[in-house]
Amino acid sequence: MKSFPIKTRSNAIKQAVKLGFILSLAYPLSALGSTLQGHFKGAGFWQLWPENTYPDPGSDQTDLLMADVRLKWQKDFQAWHFDIDYQLQGVKSQTLLAKRSLVSEYNAFDLDQTQLFNLTDNLVNEDDKFVYQRLDRLNATYRTADYAIKAGRQAITWGNGVLFNPLDRFNPFAPNQYDREYKPGIDMLSWQKLLIDGDELSGVVIPRRNLNGEIDASSSGLGFKLYHYGETVDSQWILSQDRNETLTALQLTGNWLDGVWNLDWMAGFDHESKDWTLSSVANYQSAFSWFNRNFTYAIEYFYNGYGSHQSRPYLQSLDKVLLEKLNSGQLFTLNRHYADLTLNAELTPLFNLSASAIFNLQDGSSLWNLNGQYSLSDQSQLLGGWQYACGESGTEFGGLQLSSLSNKVSAYPQQLYLQYQYYF
């Protein structure tokens, strides 16, 4: 792979001052009695694209280099707990050039566009490079024996999906995301209350801004969840408002044989179209031993009620609501019926191997991932992986055609990656 070139820029001094100011916060924070922790991650990707990929990456073979630094500070003070995470990330990729040719002033990581506070600063945003810094966690929690309230930038996950999680509407992972250690933080108020019978009531308030930069109720989120611990089946009841949708959901969890089954069901009412949309995910997870090796596996079915009925739709003919959810990162798939398999193997105490396969049951295409993790020491590890998209042209994973008048396709690349991680 090509190395990251160092270029002299007219704003180099200005950006260095910004970076130095943020890093200088490390001393006063550590002086408060809690040591700084964090990690460094560096990764390289080799990608092979199909013909007529849109946007055109400029070559059928591209490289992607990524570096990520995270500094974490945590402090407990009586009933209070404080979290601050600083993140510095840089990416160099030929695909950035392709996207800049379509969108002027393209922002590869526009994480705070709709947030209550803008805590992200772009250091480099030009050509095939993007470097930014942000406060990814900035929150305070007040805790008592039976309730807790957290305010500020944080992360939350609802739903019991393995690769697909339709109930995680606020900030979900993509189903092919290989590194799930941290979700990008979002500004919210969250709380949990333990009830007398052992159940738990929780809620979130997520204020968002519209594209004009104004705090807008129709762009914000609000949710309540009741967790009931049953004798044989646990249930979670959810009522929320997300942007212009009212959502009701039910989660069920129980034991069967030597594993756990989950069923998530969601109904969303769109206040603009006045239509209801149903989505659901069901999975079974279990573990076994074979030749003195530990294995875990899961099988899952996902019904995407927002997806297209057509097995090979054109990208430009997709429903407006579906496109909005794809662009906002709430959804990642185009059709309705999917299945996935995952298998994790502890081959040695130092080496773990995981594999997953996602199947589009409508068009016959699939997406395969193989990932390995090797522990180099108590503080460092090496990750490597392979992604393979399989399907005929015109299918979701084989390359979705933009329109009937164009041979351009939106496609997943065949991909190899290697990532080094160091924790301190």
Side-chain angles (χ1 to χ4, degrees), residues 34-248:
S34 183
T35 59
L36 284 173
Q37 297 178 323
H39 70 235
F40 165 79
K41 297 181 180 182
F45 296 77
W46 176 80
Q47 300 166 321
L48 179 63
W49 299 87
E51 294 182 358
N52 301 317
T53 298
Y54 178 86
D56 187 357
S59 173
D60 60 344
Q61 299 182 25
T62 60
D63 298 333
L64 186 151
L65 299 178
M66 183 274 290
D68 179 81
V69 177
R70 180 179 290 262
L71 301 178
K72 302 169 54 179
W73 178 84
Q74 297 180 353
K75 179 65 177 178
D76 289 311
F77 182 74
Q78 296 181 356
W80 289 90
H81 176 80
F82 300 93
D83 273 321
I84 301 177
D85 280 23
Y86 165 79
Q87 182 183 25
L88 173 67
Q89 187 172 107
V91 173
K92 179 180 183 295
S93 172
Q94 294 147 276
T95 58
L96 287 178
L97 285 173
K99 293 177 180 178
R100 291 186 197 280
S101 66
L102 300 176
V103 180
S104 60
E105 299 182 2
Y106 175 71
N107 191 339
F109 299 94
D110 198 1
L111 301 175
D112 288 352
Q113 181 182 21
T114 61
Q115 297 256 37
L116 181 61
F117 300 107
N118 185 357
L119 303 180
T120 299
D121 180 31
N122 294 338
L123 301 176
V124 178
N125 184 17
E126 60 184 31
D127 300 330
D128 61 348
K129 295 171 285 296
F130 196 98
V131 181
Y132 72 93
Q133 61 181 354
R134 75 191 303 255
L135 292 178
D136 189 53
R137 300 288 190 272
L138 182 63
N139 59 72
T141 306
Y142 181 77
R143 298 175 295 196
T144 67
D146 58 356
Y147 74 88
I149 300 176
K150 180 185 288 189
R153 181 154 296 186
Q154 54 189 289
I156 192 170
T157 298
W158 284 4
N160 291 320
V162 178
L163 296 185
F164 294 102
N165 205 352
L167 269 62
D168 193 11
R169 293 292 296 272
F170 303 124
N171 195 17
F173 279 122
N176 65 326
Q177 178 72 38
Y178 76 95
D179 188 345
R180 299 190 173 207
E181 187 173 7
Y182 289 97
K183 298 177 82 172
I186 53 179
D187 299 328
M188 72 174 81
L189 173 70
S190 65
W191 54 271
Q192 298 84 36
K193 176 71 169 69
L194 294 178
L195 305 180
I196 297 177
D197 56 1
D199 292 348
E200 181 181 281
L201 183 65
S202 61
V204 295
V205 178
I206 304 177
R208 297 191 186 101
R209 299 181 183 274
N210 56 30
L211 297 180
N212 295 323
E214 301 170 342
I215 299 176
D216 184 7
S218 63
S219 301
S220 302
L222 172 69
F224 301 92
K225 180 174 70 171
L226 173 64
Y227 197 121
H228 172 67
Y229 294 90
E231 294 184 3
T232 58
V233 176
D234 294 342
S235 61
Q236 299 181 58
W237 304 79
I238 294 175
L239 176 63
S240 66
Q241 179 74 26
D242 183 53
R243 295 181 171 89
N244 64 335
E245 265 191 303
T246 298
L247 305 168
T248 60

Side-chain angles (χ1 to χ4, degrees), residues 349-404:
L350 300 178
F351 180 56
N352 293 338
L353 194 64
S354 63
S356 67
I358 300 172
F359 303 95
N360 184 319
L361 301 180
Q362 288 180 231
D363 64 19
S365 63
S366 56
L367 187 65
W368 301 75
N369 283 276
L370 181 66
N371 299 287
Q373 177 180 310
Y374 182 75
S375 179
L376 299 171
S377 68
D378 291 340
Q379 293 179 283
S380 62
Q381 59 186 12
L382 196 64
L383 275 67
W386 165 73
Q387 175 180 277
Y388 179 72
C390 180
E392 298 178 0
S393 180
T395 61
E396 180 172 9
F397 299 122
L400 189 69
Q401 197 168 339
L402 296 188
S403 71
S404 59

Side-chain angles (χ1 to χ4, degrees), residues 260-272:
V260 176
W261 61 266
N262 296 284
L263 173 63
D264 293 359
W265 175 88
M266 182 188 74
F269 179 75
D270 191 296
H271 292 275
E272 291 184 5

Side-chain angles (χ1 to χ4, degrees), residues 288-338:
F288 64 93
S289 296
W290 188 46
F291 287 99
N292 296 321
R293 303 291 188 269
N294 296 322
F295 295 83
T296 61
Y297 70 91
I299 180 172
E300 183 172 64
Y301 168 76
F302 170 51
Y303 174 74
N304 175 20
Y306 300 94
S308 173
H309 287 287
Q310 296 178 278
S311 60
R312 298 188 183 186
Y314 297 117
L315 183 62
Q316 294 180 355
S317 68
L318 293 176
D319 182 77
K320 176 185 175 183
V321 174
L322 175 60
L323 288 174
E324 289 176 350
K325 295 191 180 302
L326 291 170
N327 292 331
S328 65
Q330 293 180 305
L331 286 177
F332 304 93
T333 51
L334 308 176
N335 286 136
R336 298 213 163 193
H337 301 281
Y338 295 86

